Amino acid sequence: MVGIIEPIVVVGAGHAGFQLASSLRQSGYDGPVALINNEPFLPYQRPPLSKAYLQGAGEPDTVLFRPDCFYAEQRIDLVSDQVASIDRTARKAIFASGNSLGYRHLVFATGARNRKLQLPNADNDDVLYLRSLADGETIRRRLDAARRVVVIGAGFIGLEFAATAADKGIEVDVVELAQRIMARVVSPLISAHFLARHEIAGCRIHCGRSVECIEAVDGRLQGVVLDDGRRLAADLVVVGIGVVPNVELALDAGLPSRQGIVVDEYLATADPHISAIGDCALFSSPRYEAPVRLESVANATDQAKCLAARLTGNPAPFDAVPWFWSDQGKDKLQIAGLNTGYDRVVVRVTEGARSHWYFAGATFLAVDAIDDPRAYMLGKRLLEAGRSPDPAALADPATDLKTLLR
Ligand code: FAD
């Protein structure tokens, strides 16, 4: 009798899920792979949704990872459904449609969802969020008719959106609870640089302020009222106040989940047949000696590659240097490493470029580079090599950065 080989079931077809399915094939895995997609599009890239796609450049097809034929060619079974629960004893995924699928290994690549605003009128049709291609389609269409927009939250996505809207000639107000923009991820120096750039581009940014309520008359949005009583008129509100990892499936299946699905340095959950990767995973980081959950394309794809290697017989701990980017207006910000715990910043300014290098004592932690891909790349390579450059050499614009690697 020939036994049936159960598939590797990947729950979620975002950056992590798509990369895992592709990397399994690239690593020579020949068995069945099921990639579960609960969105009404073929798997696609999210970053353009707040950048080029929002500008109006291109159809939904332009953000797809791969065309339809790729999945058949690679023998990746793209299943359009939503996983409703996991039966760990029977090793089965149960779908919203009522179907079920056995697995030899199951991977949570369920990502994250937008944190929702809890305010009166927050459910108004003119209050929008940006996470999915469907959201991107709606916002892009609505932006064409908008004249005044209020953005709630000055994180990467809120600011990328604000820059695009301002570029289209729309009046933009950004409201941020923290005292500075992007406070969760960048240093005060970078916040100050980008604040000035956004203000020059015409955005009005209100830091240290919260939205008290959203005003609507007969269902028609009027604007928002701030905690200091000011009214900001708007015909569209876009909310970018962070995300919540999708951990409920794992939690309901009895797997430890806190601010993410808990996995070890091999990205394995407490169940040897289940792993988690990407935005939803809280992983035990050897590099930072702490549980870490990252929200970035690089993290999702690097973790997918690491897991594909383990599932095909080449296990290694996940220890990639984190990296991020954000395009805001004409400025490109690239970050390598995490600057948590820094006590010194070395600023390097060369013609048209600027980078900030973060140290704790003599230990190099991270670099933020603005329109300076060389500084970013070199900083990343130094971090990968576990080396700390000489701060005085870094600060000197005459230093050829390449010499720091020798
Ligand atoms: P996701 O891409 O969110 O994919 C998870 C998928 O799982 C989703 O399709 C979800 O619907 C699905 N899912 C959830 N539950 C189930 C279920 N029960 N059954 C089936 N499917 C399920 N990062 C950068 O590094 N640089 C950028 O410039 C950048 N720009 C961004 C711009 C926007 C507008 C957004 C929204 C994000 C951006 N990011 C950026 C973040 C980046 O896109 C995420 O970190 C990345 O998508 C994480 O990949 P993921 O696969 O873990 O999650």
Side-chain angles (χ1 to χ4, degrees):
M1 204 173 83
V2 180
I4 295 171
I5 304 172
E6 303 284 23
I8 294 178
V9 173
V10 186
V11 187
H15 282 266
F18 170 81
Q19 184 64 52
L20 177 62
S22 309
S23 293
L24 281 168
R25 288 292 178 245
Q26 282 156 16
S27 309
Y29 176 72
D30 199 36
V33 176
L35 179 59
I36 318 303
N37 181 18
N38 70 347
E39 297 200 46
F41 300 95
L42 288 171
Y44 60 87
Q45 308 167 56
R46 291 185 201 281
L49 301 181
S50 51
K51 308 177 184 73
Y53 192 75
L54 199 59
Q55 291 279 5
E59 294 299 307
D61 280 6
T62 57
V63 294
L64 300 184
F65 291 118
R66 292 299 183 110
D68 209 2
C69 58
F70 170 83
Y71 300 91
E73 279 161 20
Q74 295 293 311
R75 292 183 299 111
I76 295 168
D77 187 12
L78 194 58
V79 179
S80 288
D81 213 328
Q82 158 109 5
V83 176
S85 62
I86 312 290
D87 181 341
R88 284 170 53 203
T89 312
R91 269 196 239 158
K92 269 189 181 161
I94 294 112
F95 295 104
S97 64
N99 294 338
S100 66
L101 186 61
Y103 61 83
R104 57 168 285 210
H105 197 93
L106 182 129
V107 181
F108 290 113
T110 47
R113 59 183 180 274
N114 285 315
R115 190 183 298 283
K116 296 280 173 159
L117 208 56
Q118 304 294 334
L119 285 176
N121 291 323
D123 58 352
N124 186 283
D125 287 348
D126 297 319
V127 177
L128 303 176
Y129 294 80
L130 181 53
R131 177 82 195 174
S132 65
L133 181 49
D135 297 334
E137 286 279 85
T138 306
I139 291 186
R140 193 162 77 159
R141 200 176 56 246
R142 298 294 307 280
L143 216 45
D144 285 341
R147 293 177 49 211
R148 294 201 59 163
V149 177
V150 169
V151 180
I152 303 180
F156 285 161
I157 292 174
L159 291 172
E160 288 178 3
F161 169 80
T164 307
D167 193 48
K168 283 176 175 278
I170 296 167
E171 275 193 58
V172 181
D173 284 281
V174 181
V175 184
E176 169 56 51
L177 189 61
Q179 296 300 329
R180 59 187 179 87
I181 62 174
M182 300 183 280
R184 201 167 61 87
V185 268
V186 303
S187 67
L189 289 167
I190 299 281
S191 296
H193 174 90
F194 276 92
L195 177 69
R197 303 290 285 173
H198 285 291
E199 287 182 339
I200 288 167
C203 294
R204 287 181 294 265
I205 302 199
H206 313 269
C207 285
R209 293 267 75 97
S210 64
V211 173
E212 286 272 292
C213 76
I214 290 173
E215 285 190 318
V217 175
D218 296 332
R220 211 182 154 79
L221 180 75
Q222 305 295 306
V224 307
V225 182
L226 301 187
D227 56 348
D228 61 359
R230 262 183 301 164
R231 286 185 150 71
L232 305 176
D235 39 30
L236 198 64
V237 168
V238 172
V239 185
I241 53 171
V243 297
V244 182
N246 291 323
V247 301
E248 290 73 10
L249 267 185
L251 211 51
D252 291 349
L255 291 167
S257 302
R258 298 196 296 272
Q259 294 87 24
I261 302 169
V262 175
V263 290
D264 64 14
E265 65 270 40
Y266 292 89
L267 308 169
T269 67
D271 181 330
H273 300 288
I274 301 184
S275 303
I277 53 174
D279 279 15
C280 69
L282 180 72
F283 69 99
S284 174
S285 165
R287 181 172 295 274
Y288 298 108
E289 296 176 342
V292 174
R293 190 180 70 78
L294 297 172
E295 295 160 12
S296 79
V297 166
N299 178 66
T301 51
D302 289 346
Q303 289 195 340
K305 290 175 188 170
C306 177
L307 179 58
R310 168 158 66 84
L311 295 178
T312 51
N314 294 301
F318 178 71
D319 201 23
V321 170
W323 59 275
F324 312 85
W325 82 93
S326 176
D327 298 336
Q328 297 178 26
K330 292 187 172 44
D331 285 324
K332 187 173 200 74
L333 170 65
Q334 290 171 294
I335 301 173
L338 300 179
N339 68 14
T340 317
Y342 73 89
D343 53 25
R344 178 178 186 188
V345 188
V346 175
V347 179
R348 179 181 166 88
V349 182
T350 53
E351 214 175 306
R354 184 182 179 89
S355 54
H356 296 204
W357 303 70
Y358 300 88
F359 290 81
T363 307
F364 172 48
L365 299 178
V367 60
D368 294 345
I370 301 167
D371 299 324
D372 195 346
R374 290 185 62 162
Y376 154 75
M377 191 47 79
L378 191 108
K380 184 162 177 279
R381 286 175 64 189
L382 285 166
L383 290 165
E384 282 163 352
R387 292 182 39 196
S388 296
D390 170 26
L394 266 181
D396 182 353
T399 303
D400 178 355
L401 285 177
K402 275 197 305 237
T403 60
L404 300 175
L405 262 180
R406 283 188 204 131

